[in-house]
Amino acid sequence: MAQIRIARRVLTECIAAIAFPILLISLLVFPVASPVVAETDRSRGRWCGAETMPLKPSDNSWAQWVSLRLRSRSLWRTDLPVLVTAALLSALSLLVAFFGFIGAAVLVFSPVFWLLGIAAQVGPFTPDSVGQTFLAVPAGVILGSVTTAVLTGTSFLRDLFQRAFSRGRDPDLLAKLEELRTSRASLTAAFEFERQRIERDLHDGAQQELVAVVMRLGMLEAAATDRERVVRLAREAQAQAERALERLRETVRDIHPRELSDLGLIAAVRELAARSPLRVELTSTGDDSQLSSPTATAVYFTVSEALTNIAKHAGAGVARVDLRCTTTDVHVRVRDDGVGGARIDAGSGLAGLRERMRSVGGNLDILSPPGGGTQVSASAPGQPPW
């Protein structure tokens, strides 16, 4: 296994030596070439047995990933130093491989060249006799071994520089990784909370109404000879069935409103404001036709949760919603003049909404000083970054 890894390291150094002219040219276009070369070097390290972590997601194209890296400070802290180091070490590998392996081959085959009438010269050494050509053979083997060792060491030196430039020198990447871990945990908790809410709504709402309908129908059978009672029970069963149907519609609307799919975000928020027990002053501008479904859904539920919280906790009778859609992003702000003091606590509805907004590349902020009302602001790109 160790021999295989050494062979891989020597092979990759030979390939790097051949690619040296390409690396020189890539220095001229380093902003684009840096992430490509750095990721290729990480792949080389993994193939040679080094512990390196790929940064490019498997479902991203190279163009998408390079575009993201160009907007990251990691380009200058990690990728560009790896590109410069790769070019320098490739130049070293080119010199070592060219002179080392060619010199070793010439020394090993010196007797053959002597029989052909050629006095092969390697540096200052030129054989003057057959005996000297045979003495050159072990020297060639030693030179080949030394060349292999130097190329292997150069490969390990690449790994060392790769770790040095990556470890602890990419704080924005580490911060995003930690944010991703936190976001995944929060989303899991939010999804579990939402599942329990749907289960509770179905159990306490539609299920209870349907049980009552079944009971009424059983009473109808028992009262088959009393026409007036049959009519009364039938009407009660019909009313309860209608209430069950309305409860089911409300539950389905809370999962994904039909207006959002059919009419778009602005119309769905307008319908939401009309159903609210509050007096909602809605201002909407722009065109929502360019918004993706995940983004529109996240913004819709942000407005829905904010209005619900105002009605339950704020002690305000009026809410103001400002919705602005552009060709590239969407912004929404929900304000009230209630008691304030709202916070985004772990496991709360607002915490789940913040994670929902982050999942589409956006964010949610809340400003709620005690006694000063509450303002919930959210923004997101029209198309998620995935």
Side-chain angles (χ1 to χ4, degrees), residues 11 21 42-43 63 78 85 137 143 154 264 280-281 288 305 367 371:
L11 177 60
R42 283 185 281 269
S43 299
T78 303
T85 303
V137 173
L143 179 60
T154 304
V280 180
E281 297 177 359
D288 60 5
E305 181 71 17
L367 179 63

Side-chain angles (χ1 to χ4, degrees), residues 62-384:
W62 277 99
Q64 291 174 328
W65 184 71
V66 169
S67 177
L68 290 175
R69 295 293 287 178
L70 289 176
R71 297 194 293 269
S72 171
R73 289 177 295 175
S74 305
L75 176 73
W76 308 97
R77 295 176 175 175
T78 303
D79 296 348
L80 181 57
V82 170
L83 171 62
V84 175
T85 303
L88 294 175
L89 292 179
S90 295
L92 175 62
S93 296
L94 177 61
L95 293 174
V96 171
F98 182 79
F99 291 106
F101 284 138
I102 290 181
V106 170
L107 290 174
V108 169
F109 292 102
S110 286
V112 177
F113 292 142
W114 182 268
L115 292 176
L116 296 176
I118 301 174
Q121 180 180 0
V122 178
F125 173 74
T126 303
D128 295 329
S129 64
V130 177
Q132 289 184 355
T133 61
F134 281 102
L135 290 175
V137 173
V141 174
I142 294 174
L143 179 60
S145 301
V146 171
T147 303
T148 300
V150 172
L151 291 178
T152 303
T154 304
S155 179
F156 279 111
L157 192 60
R158 287 182 191 272
D159 296 343
L160 180 63
F161 280 117
Q162 179 71 255
R163 289 193 298 269
F165 292 133
S166 300
R167 183 179 301 169
R169 298 194 61 180
D170 197 358
D172 56 335
L173 181 62
L174 296 177
K176 288 180 179 179
L177 180 60
E178 183 60 29
E179 179 182 339
L180 177 61
R181 290 172 177 168
T182 304
S183 177
R184 287 180 62 182
S186 299
L187 278 176
T188 301
F191 288 151
E192 178 63 18
F193 175 80
E194 186 68 9
R195 185 193 65 79
Q196 292 177 358
R197 183 194 66 80
I198 294 173
E199 181 182 12
R200 185 173 59 252
D201 288 348
L202 290 174
H203 180 274
D204 298 340
Q207 179 175 318
Q208 297 301 322
E209 298 291 349
L210 291 173
V211 168
V213 170
V214 173
M215 293 178 64
R216 289 288 187 278
L217 293 176
M219 294 170 67
L220 276 175
E221 183 179 2
T225 57
D226 188 345
R227 185 175 182 279
E228 292 183 0
R229 189 183 179 193
V230 168
V231 172
R232 178 173 59 81
L233 291 173
R235 289 174 178 172
E236 292 175 355
Q238 181 182 5
Q240 288 174 330
E242 290 174 351
R243 285 196 296 271
L245 182 60
E246 183 59 29
R247 293 283 186 91
L248 285 174
R249 286 172 177 167
E250 292 176 358
T251 301
V252 171
R253 186 184 295 118
D254 288 339
I255 297 174
H256 189 84
R258 185 179 182 86
E259 298 90 349
L260 189 60
S261 301
D262 295 344
L263 304 176
L265 176 62
I266 294 177
V269 171
R270 188 176 294 117
E271 178 68 20
L272 184 65
R275 295 198 311 268
S276 175
L278 301 166
R279 183 165 66 88
V280 180
E281 297 177 359
L282 173 62
T283 302
S284 60
T285 58
D287 181 11
D288 60 5
S289 61
Q290 300 299 316
L291 298 180
S292 67
S293 177
T295 298
T297 301
V299 173
Y300 174 87
F301 282 110
T302 296
V303 177
S304 176
E305 181 71 17
L307 292 178
T308 300
N309 288 342
I310 294 173
K312 288 182 177 180
H313 310 296
V318 180
R320 297 171 181 85
V321 179
D322 299 316
L323 177 63
R324 179 166 57 89
C325 303
T326 69
T327 56
T328 58
D329 53 19
V330 57
H331 302 266
V332 65
R333 183 173 57 185
V334 183
R335 296 172 291 166
D336 68 72
D337 53 0
V339 298
R343 295 183 304 173
I344 302 180
D345 297 322
S348 66
L350 287 176
L353 289 177
R354 169 178 280 181
E355 297 308 324
R356 186 193 285 265
M357 293 300 301
R358 287 177 175 175
S359 70
V360 295
N363 199 11
L364 182 144
D365 295 307
I366 183 168
L367 179 63
S368 184
T374 300
Q375 175 177 296
V376 177
S377 303
S379 61
Q383 299 294 328

